[in-house]
Amino acid sequence: MADDFAPLLEIAGLSRHFGGLKVIHALDLAVARTEILGILGPNGAGKSTLFNLIAGVLAPSGGAIRYEGRDVTHLRAWDRCRAGIGRTYQIPKPFAHMSVFENVLVAAVHGGGAGIRQARLEAAGVLERTGLSAQHARPAGSLTLLDLKRLELARALAVKPRLLLLDEIAGGLTEAECGTLLDIIVQVHAGGTGIVWIEHVIQALRRACTRLAVLHGGAILADGLPDAVLADPRVKHVYLGT
Amino acid sequence: MAFRSPSLAMLACRLALLGGIAVLLLAPWLFDSEGLAVLTQFLTLLVLALMWNLLAGYADIITVGQHAFVGIGAYAFYGFAALAGVNPYAAIPLAALVALVAAVPAMAIVFRLRAAYLAVGTWVVAQVFMLLAGKLPGFGFGSGVSLPIAVAQAFGTDPAGRYTTIYLLALGLAAVTLISTWLLLRSRIGIGLTAMRDNEEAAGALGVNIVRARILCFLWTAPFLGLAGAIITLQNLRISPPASFSIIDWTVFVIFNVVIGGIGTLEGPILGTALFFVLRAYFSDLGTWHLIILGVLSIVVILIEPRGLWGLLRRVLPGDLIPVSHRRAAAAGAVRAAPERFEPQPPA
Ligand SMILES: Nc1ncnc2c1ncn2[C@@H]1O[C@H](COP(=O)(O)OP(=O)(O)OP(=O)(O)O)[C@@H](O)[C@H]1O
Ligand SMILES: [Mg+2]
């Protein structure tokens, strides 16, 4: 096994243009297994696009992505998932006509690579952990937005990720619910999973993250310890509007 | 609705399904040759509907060329049984094999295309196969050819016995198609297909190999379509490019049936095909109007409920009639109504 501090994810010169719009441009970023990296950035900065590129849902216009030392730039989304990259969607994409349990089962069977028997146990465990057990038999399409976000997290966890990409899952949570979420994230991280977490709830990022990066103008504007990044005048200027 | 409770509605649906199965099993004793011929058509169209539903409803392969494999099955059956002198019973599975082999190059072409282009592509491929069939020496070229009497008689020397044999073959095919498709949907591949049906991008991001699932579905349907083609040939006692490769009979009607019955479910194609035969029995003298009425009906159904009549029924029913879904282990236990506290522990 590679040592813990070797980069789990290495992004070099990554670009993604939509027509003339350079959403991601020459972006460099490395994430180690030991990190919980928080990503901040104004609306439309390209944070979700970055996740789509890492997860293989979008093809980059240029640059390279390495994961666990291997070039995955041209790997299909499902192969990246099987390799251990789990992600949530900012705008939930549930399997609306399948039950909550089956939604998680899909991830455990396909992304996690478990047999159905084993996957059923794992899926039940993940539902318990994410507080969705009571809803297990409901069609996912009938969940509230908050529960849909829980389901996004549950599915991503069922993949048994070694790199977990979380896209705005704390918005709208109460103080207590946010605490539960942070516990889960810290627990998953302690299990040896590197985490990248896009979030606008700065307090949540501050409590969980070992490092913060600010995305602006298609690349990383500031990167470092959370307090140092939040105190950076450039960050205050573009993000906090002061 | 006349039903007091969802479970009563469920019971009614179960009884209807079991009643239908019982009628199909007893049909040789219940119906005359004409009735059996209609039921044979029903069963072959049911097979076509189940296959189109698997492709369009789950794997997002909206094909308008599935009549190609029906025609290929018909021609292959004729070739083996009438020209090569193979035992006519053995010629049936050989027809399935030829359809499967033909699916490989068809897939290579069609899978380069997406969405509307794919639909057009399947149609073009089917036309090419039909034109090729019309050029084959020994197969009567463009006007087709009748099945030799000896081949027909292998399935029964008198017409009544032959109708029964062909009916039983169709029943066997429909049963195998339905059960194997059900097993496929229950399998780990099927869980992925069902996820693809609901959201393809999310399915891919959660590890479902979408390309492999599509290939599997395409190859899965071809032999069943070929078998249906062989049975259709037995029933019509002849092959010809326009009839064996009929886009109206083997694709357009089938699409209407699936869409009206409910796409992306196992029950929908059954319901839609049954309804088609009921309508046809009452409106058979309408000619082309039949097609127009079905077309309008399918558009109306889509506008009201995209998942068809079964989707409408499903709003009342508590579960699937043919259960495809997976339930959490604890819920499958004895006391379903009791609050569930038991959580299975993974083995150490
Ligand atoms: N598939 C696409 N086609 C065209 N433009 C796109 C596409 N996806 C994203 N964009 C554009 O890229 C920009 C960045 O979008 P993105 O969703 O990545 O931002 P974000 O940082 O996640 O914003 P938010 O904080 O609002 O979630 C936006 O201007 C968006 O309109
Ligand atoms: Mg976003």
Side-chain angles (χ1 to χ4, degrees), chain B residues 31-311:
Chain B
F31 299 101
D32 59 3
S33 297
E34 209 176 310
L36 284 182
V38 172
L39 283 180
T40 304
Q41 283 173 3
F42 165 73
L43 291 168
T44 46
L45 275 193
L46 176 61
V47 170
L48 303 189
L50 287 167
M51 294 300 96
W52 191 81
N53 179 52
L54 184 63
L55 289 183
Y58 289 87
D60 192 31
I61 302 170
I62 314 287
T63 162
V64 289
Q66 82 166 9
H67 51 285
F69 298 104
V70 178
I72 289 168
Y75 271 67
F77 172 73
Y78 181 89
F80 285 116
L83 301 179
V86 173
N87 175 310
Y89 280 97
I92 297 175
L94 286 174
L97 189 67
V98 173
L100 178 62
V101 170
V104 176
M107 190 172 69
I109 298 167
V110 163
F111 277 27
R112 288 174 199 283
L113 311 166
R114 286 309 309 152
Y117 296 100
L118 184 143
V120 174
T122 57
W123 178 77
V124 171
V125 169
Q127 285 309 100
V128 169
F129 277 122
M130 183 178 89
L131 292 173
L132 285 176
K135 300 272 181 244
L136 289 177
F139 291 82
F141 299 106
S143 51
V145 60
S146 294
L147 209 56
I149 292 169
V151 173
Q153 284 187 337
F155 296 89
T157 39
D158 64 311
R162 193 162 63 235
Y163 275 113
T164 307
T165 310
I166 297 170
Y167 171 75
L168 290 175
L169 287 171
L171 184 59
L173 171 61
V176 169
T177 310
L178 184 62
I179 292 169
S180 62
T181 304
W182 177 70
L183 288 174
L184 173 69
L185 289 177
R186 289 274 308 169
S187 73
R188 61 195 309 272
I189 297 166
I191 299 174
L193 280 172
T194 312
M196 280 168 64
R197 171 197 72 185
D198 283 2
N199 192 314
E200 196 173 295
E201 184 190 319
L206 290 173
V208 179
N209 188 324
I210 286 165
V211 169
R212 202 165 62 194
R214 282 220 178 88
I215 291 174
L216 178 93
C217 284
F218 200 81
L219 296 181
W220 179 279
T221 59
F224 289 108
L225 298 171
L227 288 171
I231 286 170
I232 287 163
T233 304
L234 270 177
Q235 202 175 21
N236 296 345
L237 294 174
R238 67 177 285 114
I239 52 164
S240 73
S244 301
F245 289 83
S246 167
I247 184 172
I248 299 286
D249 289 333
W250 318 135
T251 298
V252 176
F253 278 135
V254 169
I255 294 176
F256 288 155
N257 293 347
V258 174
V259 166
I260 292 171
I263 192 168
T265 64
L266 207 45
E267 295 89 345
I270 303 175
L271 183 62
T273 309
L275 192 71
F276 174 75
F277 274 80
V278 171
L279 289 178
R280 207 182 68 169
Y282 287 103
F283 302 105
S284 56
D285 41 338
L286 285 176
T288 340
W289 281 100
H290 188 206
L291 198 60
I292 295 168
I293 290 170
L294 276 176
V296 171
L297 188 61
S298 60
I299 291 168
V300 170
V301 166
I302 284 189
L303 290 178
I304 297 172
E305 165 61 66
R307 297 169 72 82
L309 291 179
W310 183 253

Side-chain angles (χ1 to χ4, degrees), chain A residues 18 21 23 41-49 90 168 200:
Chain A
F18 294 107
L21 189 65
V23 174
N43 290 111
K47 305 181 294 295
S48 299
T49 303
Q90 178 181 356
E168 298 196 23
H200 286 299

